[in-house]
Amino acid sequence: MVKTYVEVLSGASSFLEAAGKEGYAIEYLFLARKNWDKTQWLLHMREEISAEEELLIEKDMADLMKNIPPQYLLGYEYFFEHRFKVTKDTLIPRPETEELVALCLSMNDQQGKKVVDIGTGTGAIAVSLKLNRPKWQVTAVDISKEALTVAEENAESLQTEIVFKQSDVLSAITEKQDIIISNPPYISEEEWDLMDESVRTYEPKTALFAENKGLAIYQKIALESRSLLTPEGMIFLEIGFQQGHAVQDIFQQAFPDKAVTIHQDMSKNDRMIVVS
């Protein structure tokens, strides 16, 4: 019996959804592996699927049933229109963080500035800033050696010159910075049960969770930034959607002479803090 791409993938998607998983993930994976965009999918969807391709879908289905994120199966994710390698040692870059980068770029021109990205992970923030502001001197820090190795590979593949340092927050930074930016760990242990199973099982815990109701790293950034931020410098932070006022208070106390503002993401959730 002849089976088409759409028949097999629709069946796989329905199976995943019946098991409480994200049904679209199998189509996302398959199109990525075939290097097909939506137009190519529409052109080919009713063609006969090969036995090899069916086996590939079955294997991906088994991994998705184990809650392995599709990006880890592919080994990459796109961020700011560029492809970044991801591994189990790095968080998967997310659209909300693209909004943080976009906000930083919108508030800063092409003039040369010194910038540090705290907890760089894949290097997505640091590399994206450097690609869009070539005159900036960008340093990226992370406490994880393994994450830094991935970030360095991404910087090299995207032909950006970035300084990488292993550092617990800003401990390895000695020069004053014009911009401090970070998507730090901000999930509290109390929120563990609310997390998606794939995130809890496979993404690195040190990049996700923070003590003191998820505020510990913000407190550390605020404390260490006071001596490292230039007088006209700015801080850009991603936050949990319920943390806006708590993080605002932390940085207003640290920087009483600066404006500390909460910015929302496209879903109208509090998502970013700017100190300016």
Side-chain angles (χ1 to χ4, degrees):
M1 178 182 165
V2 174
K3 294 183 194 172
T4 64
Y5 289 115
V6 70
E7 286 171 337
V8 174
L9 285 170
S10 293
S13 178
S14 296
F15 181 87
L16 286 170
E17 288 182 0
K21 314 296 182 189
E22 180 61 64
Y24 175 71
I26 191 64
E27 183 181 313
Y28 168 83
L29 267 175
F30 188 73
L31 295 190
R33 295 199 188 283
K34 293 287 286 183
N35 201 24
W36 283 354
D37 59 23
K38 283 291 185 185
T39 302
Q40 289 167 309
W41 167 239
L42 291 171
L43 288 171
H44 296 290
M45 61 191 289
R46 303 205 180 275
E47 293 176 3
E48 183 178 357
I49 190 169
S50 70
E52 291 78 14
E53 289 166 327
E54 274 204 82
L55 284 173
L56 178 62
I57 289 171
E58 285 177 19
K59 184 181 183 305
D60 281 340
M61 284 276 291
D63 287 333
L64 290 172
M65 287 296 292
K66 296 175 191 170
N67 298 306
I68 302 175
Q71 294 89 343
Y72 286 162
L73 295 175
L74 292 172
Y76 65 83
E77 175 61 299
Y78 282 90
F79 184 92
F80 242 71
E81 299 182 356
H82 292 280
R83 185 162 146 170
F84 286 83
K85 176 181 178 178
V86 297
T87 74
K88 60 180 177 56
D89 298 308
T90 65
L91 274 189
I92 298 164
R94 289 172 165 81
E96 294 86 354
T97 311
E98 290 182 316
E99 295 186 55
L100 180 72
V101 171
L103 182 63
C104 179
L105 292 172
S106 74
M107 297 179 73
N108 291 277
D109 58 24
Q110 297 282 351
Q111 299 302 310
K113 296 189 175 185
K114 287 188 177 176
V115 182
V116 61
D117 170 28
I118 301 169
T120 198
T122 60
I125 291 175
V127 170
S128 298
L129 290 176
K130 183 67 175 178
L131 285 169
N132 284 274
R133 297 288 186 268
K135 291 181 182 177
W136 288 6
Q137 295 177 43
V138 181
T139 300
V141 302
D142 205 294
I143 199 168
S144 163
K145 278 185 181 178
E146 293 80 8
L148 284 172
T149 298
V150 175
E152 287 171 355
E153 284 183 49
N154 283 324
E156 186 176 342
S157 69
L158 291 167
Q159 300 179 320
T160 51
E161 285 190 21
I162 290 169
V163 175
F164 290 96
K165 294 184 179 183
Q166 187 175 14
S167 178
D168 181 5
V169 186
L170 291 167
S171 60
I173 302 298
T174 54
E175 294 184 24
K176 287 191 178 288
Q177 303 292 314
D178 299 302
I179 296 173
I180 294 172
I181 189 167
S182 183
N183 173 22
Y186 57 70
I187 299 167
S188 69
E189 297 294 342
E190 291 85 358
E191 293 174 297
W192 172 260
D193 291 335
L194 303 176
M195 299 297 295
D196 187 87
E197 186 68 30
S198 65
V199 177
R200 290 190 304 193
T201 307
Y202 292 100
E203 297 198 52
K205 306 297 181 291
T206 55
L208 288 167
F209 294 98
E211 295 178 350
N212 192 18
K213 297 182 178 178
L215 299 174
I217 307 300
Y218 295 114
Q219 293 167 324
K220 195 169 174 62
I221 292 172
L223 181 68
E224 296 179 7
S225 295
R226 289 173 64 180
S227 61
L228 288 169
L229 193 67
T230 58
E232 302 300 317
M234 304 176 76
I235 300 174
F236 294 85
L237 303 163
E238 185 171 327
I239 60 172
F241 71 96
Q242 295 178 311
Q243 294 175 318
H245 294 294
V247 178
Q248 186 180 41
D249 288 344
I250 290 168
F251 282 86
Q252 197 65 78
Q253 288 179 34
F255 296 93
D257 298 329
K258 285 186 174 287
V260 183
T261 53
I262 301 170
H263 294 255
Q264 295 184 323
D265 60 21
M266 288 184 188
S267 301
K268 305 300 181 188
N269 291 316
D270 291 350
R271 186 61 63 190
M272 295 159 280
I273 289 282
V274 176
V275 181
S276 59

